[in-house]
Amino acid sequence: MSNCGTAFLIALFVSIVITPVVIKFAAATGAMDKPDARKVHKKPIPRIGGIGIYAAFMVSIIFAAIFLDIQGESLWEIIGLIVSGTFIVCVGILDDYKNLPAKIKLLGQIIGALILIFAFDVRIDFITDPLGDYIYLDWFAVPVTLFWLVGLTNTVNLIDGLDGLAAGVAAIAAATIMLVALEQNFFLVALLTAALAGSAVGFLFYNSHPAKIFMGDTGSMFLGFMLAGISVIGAVKSTATIALVVPILALGVPIMDTTFAIIRRFLSGRPIFQPDKGHLHHRLLSIGFTQRQAVFLMYVISAMLGLSAVAMTEVGRSMAILIFIVVVIAVLYGAKKLGILRLADR
């Protein structure tokens, strides 16, 4: 636990110190997010804050690897996350400066995921069914892992629409996974998520409303990819289903939002990657919430989902399934009441 606390504090400190430097660098190099009809900010804001999150995470993890003398398979997995995560950050930086076409950005995410899968052999080889039996994925291991990595990367990317939203939700998800990892004695997973949480929380000092900087695709894709990659490592070391269900619940808000966005755009005949104003945070603003209120509400929902994920690891299998079903029903009911599936963007 003390090592996780140290990793968190190092990442927190580096993130707080380096983000003002990133703000100045973004302004000097033209990495500014300009307002438009879909966005809620009214003036240009620096948008490569993810560089600060990335730097803080890397410093914390490299420090831990050296001073905790991490070796063998765990060190190889850390190197895999560093290499693939760095590639994802490079794609994000290009997008933040050049506004890459959606298909090119998706291709970059796929390449980053394949680096982790093939170069470092990080993949989901099996899952467990509700009865506890192992289901080996065999030839499906690569496509399932690829879908997981790319899917969660885009899930966090698409929720980054309000000041502090993506960073706060990612921090809550990372803390949730860390708590479960500590309970199950998965040291590496706990260490990695502690560092990731510290990086995101430090960034919130400058990203909370009114934001001085946005994380951009650099940060949102990095956070999503790291949460996905770390959970795959956890799946390799544990009962895979629990290791994967925990981040699904912890990231329940952005996963719900992304899923309904895809369904909404498909039903209305619009390109899936075409942005709209039908996301959950847009709906909350449209019914009268302020930015701070909308973000706080989504923090609370994420925290409740995170607590339900932790509870699932502490109870029997049948109770865990019941909790999951109740959460899904509650999410669907909330989506219906907020009109997230409505085809119009009003």
Side-chain angles (χ1 to χ4, degrees):
M1 182 65 179
S2 60
N3 291 330
C4 292
T6 301
F8 176 89
L9 291 175
I10 291 174
L12 177 72
F13 175 77
V14 174
S15 185
I16 291 173
V17 170
I18 201 171
T19 300
V21 178
V22 177
I23 293 174
K24 294 180 180 178
F25 179 76
T29 57
M32 305 296 288
D33 195 314
K34 298 178 181 179
D36 61 29
R38 191 178 62 86
K39 297 174 182 177
V40 298
H41 60 284
K42 305 301 181 183
K43 62 179 182 179
I45 304 290
R47 64 175 180 184
I48 53 172
I51 293 176
I53 296 173
Y54 164 79
F57 177 80
M58 291 301 170
V59 169
S60 179
I61 288 305
I62 292 173
F63 178 89
I66 293 174
F67 287 90
L68 297 179
D69 193 27
I70 298 175
Q71 300 178 3
E73 182 182 0
S74 293
L75 179 60
W76 186 243
E77 290 167 339
I78 289 176
I79 294 172
L81 287 175
I82 290 175
V83 173
S84 57
T86 299
F87 183 87
I88 290 294
V89 165
C90 289
V91 174
I93 292 173
L94 283 174
D95 186 54
D96 286 333
Y97 275 100
K98 301 295 184 180
N99 288 318
L100 298 175
K103 291 181 180 179
I104 299 298
K105 186 165 64 173
L106 178 61
L107 177 61
Q109 295 168 356
I110 291 173
I111 293 173
L114 291 176
I115 290 172
L116 187 62
I117 293 170
F118 286 110
F120 297 92
D121 200 30
V122 175
R123 68 187 69 183
I124 305 167
D125 289 316
F126 66 89
I127 58 175
T128 51
D129 63 24
L131 298 177
D133 296 324
Y134 290 99
I135 301 175
Y136 290 93
L137 299 178
D138 297 323
W139 292 102
F140 293 102
V142 170
V144 167
T145 308
L146 179 63
F147 177 80
W148 176 262
L149 292 170
V150 174
L152 284 197
T153 298
N154 281 292
T155 288
V156 178
N157 182 225
L158 290 175
I159 203 176
D160 186 25
L162 295 180
D163 296 350
L165 180 55
V169 170
I172 292 170
T176 300
I177 297 171
M178 182 192 70
L179 290 174
V180 173
L182 286 172
E183 191 274 332
Q184 298 189 358
N185 296 315
F186 300 141
F187 166 73
L188 178 61
V189 173
L191 190 70
L192 291 168
T193 45
L196 197 65
S199 304
V201 172
F203 181 71
L204 280 172
F205 280 80
Y206 308 95
N207 184 236
S208 297
H209 186 71
K212 298 180 178 67
I213 186 171
F214 296 152
M215 67 173 63
D217 282 356
T218 306
S220 59
M221 290 200 308
F222 176 73
L223 286 172
F225 187 83
M226 285 297 105
L227 286 169
I230 293 169
S231 62
V232 171
I233 292 173
V236 172
K237 300 178 182 300
S238 67
T239 303
T241 302
I242 291 297
L244 299 181
V245 167
V246 168
I248 287 175
L249 281 177
L251 289 169
V253 170
I255 288 175
M256 172 195 70
D257 194 41
T258 301
T259 302
F260 291 156
I262 292 172
I263 296 172
R264 182 175 63 247
R265 293 166 190 173
F266 176 78
L267 293 177
S268 61
R270 301 174 60 177
I272 290 177
F273 293 105
Q274 180 180 326
D276 61 25
K277 295 194 71 172
H279 289 287
L280 174 57
H281 52 272
H282 290 127
R283 297 297 188 193
L284 291 175
L285 294 178
S286 71
I287 62 176
F289 281 76
T290 66
Q291 275 210 55
R292 287 182 180 274
Q293 290 171 338
V295 170
F296 179 74
L297 175 60
M298 294 174 78
Y299 282 176
V300 170
I301 296 172
S302 295
M304 291 176 64
L305 290 171
L307 289 174
S308 69
V310 174
M312 285 182 64
T313 66
E314 299 289 341
V315 299
R317 189 176 301 276
S318 58
M319 182 59 68
I321 295 172
L322 177 61
I323 291 173
F324 185 76
I325 292 173
V326 170
V327 169
V328 170
I329 293 174
V331 165
L332 292 174
Y333 177 78
K336 179 182 178 182
K337 297 298 289 185
L338 287 172
I340 296 173
L341 276 173
R342 282 185 299 195
L343 302 186
D345 291 342
R346 61 185 182 274

